[in-house]
Amino acid sequence: MNFRRLFPYLVVACFAFSLTASVAAQSSEAESRQTNITLEANGSKRLETEVAVPAAVEDGRPRSVRLPGAVGGINQLLLTAIQSHLGASYHYTGTGPNSFDCSGFVWRSFQEAGFNFNRGPARSYWATFAAPPKEEQFKFGTLVFFSGLTHIGIVADEKGFYHSSRHHGVVYSPFNDYWLSRIDGFRRVPLESTATPASSAKTKATKPATTVLAVAENNEP
């Protein structure tokens, strides 16, 4: 008899608990997103809802990469250069040694590994270098481009890449849903570019590009 009297109250209590849990989950999901204003090339503004990436995802610690033995020497120089800059801050048009923008980090890393090509914005590297075969897209050292060629990084392996992030500086980032959905394509720097001795590449500097194309790099995370 007592149970029959209490049953309606139990139903109401369960419904209220379910509703509260649903609202809390939606609130948590909303808090995990942030709205950014991105400037298009024509000066117009575009709102973009971006999933907030936890600090643990943007990992600035060195990461081991298995390198093919045949070209291990060159790749090892590149990996050493990349890891020496992990943790450096982001600075627009920066080419190091302590701060970089995304294309500046790519340029400096390859220079220190003995490659020789002109410093420029991400779009210039896209136009300069050839696309790799599909099996080399996620090979160490491949250049990966994002968000309408406004951001660039260096592939570590099929799991992640190195880049200079506007909010986190030089870090390793995994190829999660956020980054995979923004990939424009890949390019490979040819071995023929290794004309500058690695020992002198670290001291060689070129005036950073200040073209309009470089401005777009400041809009990436």
Side-chain angles (χ1 to χ4, degrees), residues 102 105 121 153:
C102 62
F105 164 67

Side-chain angles (χ1 to χ4, degrees), residues 24-36:
Q26 293 177 8
S27 175
S28 176
E29 181 179 356
E31 290 176 357
S32 70
R33 295 178 178 272
Q34 56 187 12
T35 300
N36 292 335

Side-chain angles (χ1 to χ4, degrees), residues 6-30:
L6 292 176
F7 181 75
Y9 298 100
L10 292 175
V11 172
V12 172
C14 290
F15 176 77
F17 177 79
S18 176
L19 182 61
T20 301
S22 176
V23 171
Q26 293 177 8
S27 175
S28 176
E29 181 179 356

Side-chain angles (χ1 to χ4, degrees), residues 157-175:
D157 50 31
E158 69 281 358
K159 296 180 180 179
F161 67 105
Y162 299 102
H163 64 129
S164 182
S165 164
R166 185 159 57 96
H167 296 302
H168 303 279
V170 178
V171 292
Y172 166 87
S173 293
F175 281 121

